[in-house]
Amino acid sequence: MGLVVQKYGGSSVADAEGIKRVAKRIVEAKKNGHQVVVVVSAMGDTTDELIDLAEQVSPMPAGREFDMLLTAGERISMALLAMAIKNLGHEAQSFTGSQAGVITDSVHNKARIIDVTPGRIRESLEQGNIAIVAGFQGVSQDKKDITTLGRGGSDTTAVALAAALDAEVCEIYTDVDGVFTADPRVVKKAKKIDWISFEDMLELAASGSKVLLHRCVEYARRYNIPIHVRSSFSGLQGTWVSSEPIEQGDKKVEQAIISGVAHDTSEAKITVVGVPDKPGEAAAIFRTISDAEINIDMIVQNVSAASTGLTDISFTLPKAEGRKAIDALEKNKHGIGFDSLRYDDQIGKISLVGAGMKTNPGVTADFFTALSDAGVNIELISTSEIRISVVTRADDVNEAVRAVHTAFGLDSDSDEAVVYGGTGR
Ligand code: ASP
Ligand code: MG
């Protein structure tokens, strides 16, 4: 029996009862003969509460202190979990990210892991302990300051540790039974996916699916670590995310044509109105945006009106970056040369994802037909080899997701999507 890394999200350890329930599960894995490393998130909404608290004492807290504060959330849960396990008669030791050897760059609030040196974890396992590691945190290589990996970063900690320890599997325990064909909070008839490839999972995560973070899946693909997403509230098999289809009984799970429908209402749209239709204009606009360190998503350029020689360029970006982008463009208005800017944050994005699209030419037409039958107007379109995305009014998003889900035959016969927890992680 090999080594397993198990990660428990905030909703799984929301209170003392939750911690005791999770401790029993961990002890089960140990009793089955595994070496067990556990990565744990902060209890319930602790991270949000700490952020509120920081904002009350300072409108713009320094990154170093902010990270120091937020990592306290995970320290609380790791220590309590180790105590609960000891209470069940098993040995456990807790470690901060830094103690576990999670080494990052020094970008506070969204640090990247650059190395994992889990010597102390190995030692602890060899002594027969269950090792509990605080998720979402590390220590910067150059300054030796405590860093955090960005919201939801515990998943990345788990995969990174699994890679460094050469684990058999990284189990991500959450408050739903796995990855679904759509967000079960929106589509009651969403179906649990048994297996999904890293590629399709990456597209779903990039398109707004929140069950796994993009960075975590990217990491797992790079080191080829199979992820098993499952609920800590039920004993059911969850979803396997890996490079090769899993075996079920004596048959392989087939690659689905369509893996699922994702949606995202966290973006806004900026339209640059009255741009001269000549070389260098798009370059000037997007240089301005990239100099402001803003990531954009979709871009659309309209045909220019023959009489004026002017065109409009629209693009989408995270709402949180909207102000910064508008300010940067206004500042360069003269250099770029445009009439005005329009800002719209009442948009939503719906994406259909599946590797089977490559070889099934009808998929795009069926997608647009489903949207039109539902009376949903399309504002922007973008595609990749295995994804089609459209932007619509935000109010239309839930309806559109359900319509597309039904049109592609993804609805399950029963209501199998159970949401056990509260806040979604
Ligand atoms: N506690 C952190 C958060 O809420 C990290 C995590 O849950 O993965 O974002
Ligand atoms: Mg959390």
Side-chain angles (χ1 to χ4, degrees):
M1 288 272 187
L3 189 154
V4 295
V5 174
Q6 299 189 329
K7 180 258 168 177
Y8 292 93
S11 53
S12 296
V13 291
D15 50 20
E17 278 317 305
I19 289 175
K20 289 198 272 187
R21 186 172 48 79
V22 163
K24 275 195 203 132
R25 246 194 130 111
I26 296 167
V27 165
E28 271 324 299
K30 170 88 179 167
K31 278 194 195 150
N32 286 337
H34 288 105
Q35 285 191 313
V36 188
V37 176
V38 176
V39 173
V40 70
S41 289
M43 296 170 69
D45 296 329
T46 304
T47 308
D48 292 299
E49 288 158 13
L50 292 173
I51 292 171
D52 287 348
L53 206 52
E55 280 164 359
Q56 285 173 45
V57 297
S58 160
M60 286 242 267
R64 182 185 185 279
E65 305 313 324
F66 195 62
D67 276 354
M68 192 62 104
L69 175 71
L70 295 197
T71 56
E74 270 70 11
R75 285 185 180 223
I76 294 171
S77 40
M78 75 178 190
L80 290 171
L81 192 52
M83 291 175 197
I85 291 171
K86 284 193 191 216
N87 193 48
L88 297 174
H90 289 259
E91 289 307 316
Q93 280 186 328
S94 63
F95 298 91
T96 64
S98 167
Q99 289 175 322
V102 179
I103 298 169
T104 71
D105 61 20
S106 52
V107 185
H108 285 293
N109 301 325
K110 49 177 179 191
R112 270 183 182 274
I113 297 176
I114 49 187
D115 197 9
V116 183
T117 52
R120 290 192 68 181
I121 303 298
R122 278 213 185 85
E123 227 171 83
S124 181
L125 292 172
E126 272 153 29
Q127 290 161 5
N129 295 307
I130 294 167
I132 317 282
V133 179
F136 159 70
Q137 55 182 273
V139 59
S140 66
Q141 192 168 44
D142 49 359
K143 299 205 186 98
K144 304 284 179 277
D145 279 331
I146 298 300
T147 53
T148 63
L149 308 179
R151 297 306 306 270
S154 300
D155 291 2
T156 312
T157 305
V159 170
L161 270 173
L165 292 164
D166 203 14
E168 237 166 49
V169 56
C170 180
E171 295 185 325
I172 306 253
Y173 285 92
T174 179
D175 58 3
V176 288
D177 282 316
V179 181
F180 282 78
T181 47
D183 184 342
R185 291 169 179 82
V186 174
V187 182
K188 284 240 156 35
K189 296 215 172 296
K191 240 190 291 195
K192 191 182 74 195
I193 300 171
D194 292 327
W195 170 78
I196 182 169
S197 67
F198 285 130
E199 284 67 30
D200 280 18
M201 194 62 233
L202 276 172
E203 287 280 4
L204 282 177
S207 308
S209 161
K210 290 181 193 67
V211 60
L212 284 179
L213 280 192
H214 192 267
R215 220 182 239 191
C216 148
V217 186
E218 223 173 29
Y219 212 104
R221 178 173 64 166
R222 186 167 348 126
Y223 293 96
N224 200 16
I225 300 295
I227 300 178
H228 187 185
V229 185
R230 56 197 306 194
S231 167
S232 69
F233 298 83
S234 80
L236 298 174
Q237 276 280 313
T239 301
W240 285 85
V241 188
S242 62
S243 53
E244 292 297 323
I246 52 159
E247 317 258 337
Q248 255 188 359
D250 49 9
K251 65 175 200 301
K252 272 202 170 178
V253 173
E254 297 277 319
Q255 166 90 57
I257 294 175
I258 298 300
S259 284
V261 188
H263 70 278
D264 189 356
T265 49
S266 69
E267 294 190 339
K269 180 173 78 172
I270 290 178
T271 303
V272 190
V273 180
V275 182
D277 193 3
K278 63 175 175 34
E281 283 301 313
I285 291 171
F286 293 107
R287 174 66 58 207
T288 302
I289 296 296
S290 81
D291 285 348
E293 292 189 29
I294 296 167
N295 286 318
I296 54 153
D297 183 15
M298 296 186 186
I299 303 176
V300 168
Q301 175 172 345
N302 290 344
V303 275
S304 64
S307 53
T308 59
L310 295 178
T311 183
D312 297 345
I313 295 181
S314 299
F315 60 92
T316 61
L317 75 176
K319 274 180 197 165
E321 311 270 31
R323 185 74 263 163
K324 210 161 80 175
I326 294 281
D327 289 348
L329 287 168
E330 284 293 356
K331 230 173 86 195
N332 277 343
K333 186 170 179 181
H334 244 60
I336 303 169
F338 58 85
D339 285 342
S340 59
L341 297 173
R342 253 187 257 137
Y343 183 71
D344 178 357
D345 62 4
Q346 295 304 306
I347 60 160
K349 183 172 74 169
I350 299 118
S351 304
L352 186 70
V353 172
M357 242 174 244
K358 281 190 248 185
T359 46
N360 285 272
V363 168
T364 310
D366 291 347
F367 181 60
F368 292 142
T369 304
L371 291 170
S372 91
D373 288 351
V376 174
N377 189 43
I378 299 169
E379 300 183 13
L380 304 180
I381 302 170
S382 92
T383 61
S384 83
E385 255 199 317
I386 61 170
R387 175 186 53 77
I388 321 171
S389 303
V390 295
V391 165
T392 67
R393 288 293 88 205
D395 288 343
D396 285 339
V397 163
N398 288 358
E399 183 63 35
V401 171
R402 286 191 281 264
V404 170
H405 196 266
T406 304
F408 280 89
L410 297 172
D411 290 354
S412 78
D413 305 330
S414 58
D415 289 1
E416 58 177 278
V418 186
V419 180
Y420 302 91
T423 49
R425 283 207 66 79

